Amino acid sequence: TNELSAQSKALAWITHVDSKRVCHQPTAELIQRYVAAVFYFATEGNDWVMCSHDSEPSLCLSGDPFLSASHECEWGGISCSGDVISEIVFEKNNLAGFLPEEMASLSA
C-alpha cells in the first residue's frame, strides 16, 4: 500500500490518532468515519479554508473541524439523517485532489 494515499492516511488516523476509538464500534459506524476521513485527505483537507483539522474552530461556521473527536455528523459541511451521512457540502473551501471511490459506500 502507498503510505501517502488518502486511504492510508485515513487508516493511520482512525487507528492511531482518533480519540473517538471507533475501532470497537459497529462496522457501519467505523466505515462511515473512515470514509469521511478519506474524503478529508483525498481533497487536501489540511489546505481547506474552513473546517480543516488544525483550523480555528470559529472558522468552521457549520460545525466542528474535520477529524475532531466529535461524531462525523457534527463536522462542518456534513449533513446527516440520524447518524448517517446524507450530504457533504463545501463551497469555496479550497478543495483539491479527488473524490475518493469510498464515497459510494455512504448509504444515505
Side-chain angles (χ1 to χ4, degrees), residues 10 27 51 65 67 92:
T27 305
C51 301
L67 308 185
K92 301 178 184 172

Side-chain angles (χ1 to χ4, degrees), residues 29 31-37 39 66 71-75 77-89 103 105-108:
E29 292 177 37
I31 291 171
Q32 176 173 276
R33 193 159 179 90
Y34 169 76
V35 170
F39 171 79
F66 262 66
H71 191 280
E72 56 279 7
C73 287
E74 296 175 18
W75 295 350
I78 292 182
S79 298
C80 290
S81 176
D83 282 340
V84 178
I85 294 175
S86 57
E87 184 176 46
I88 299 176
V89 177
M103 298 291 290
S105 67
L106 296 175
S107 60

Side-chain angles (χ1 to χ4, degrees), residues 53-77:
H53 175 65
D54 294 326
S55 70
E56 184 67 33
S58 63
L59 294 177
C60 194
L61 304 176
S62 64
D64 297 332
F66 262 66
L67 308 185
S68 65
S70 61
H71 191 280
E72 56 279 7
C73 287
E74 296 175 18
W75 295 350

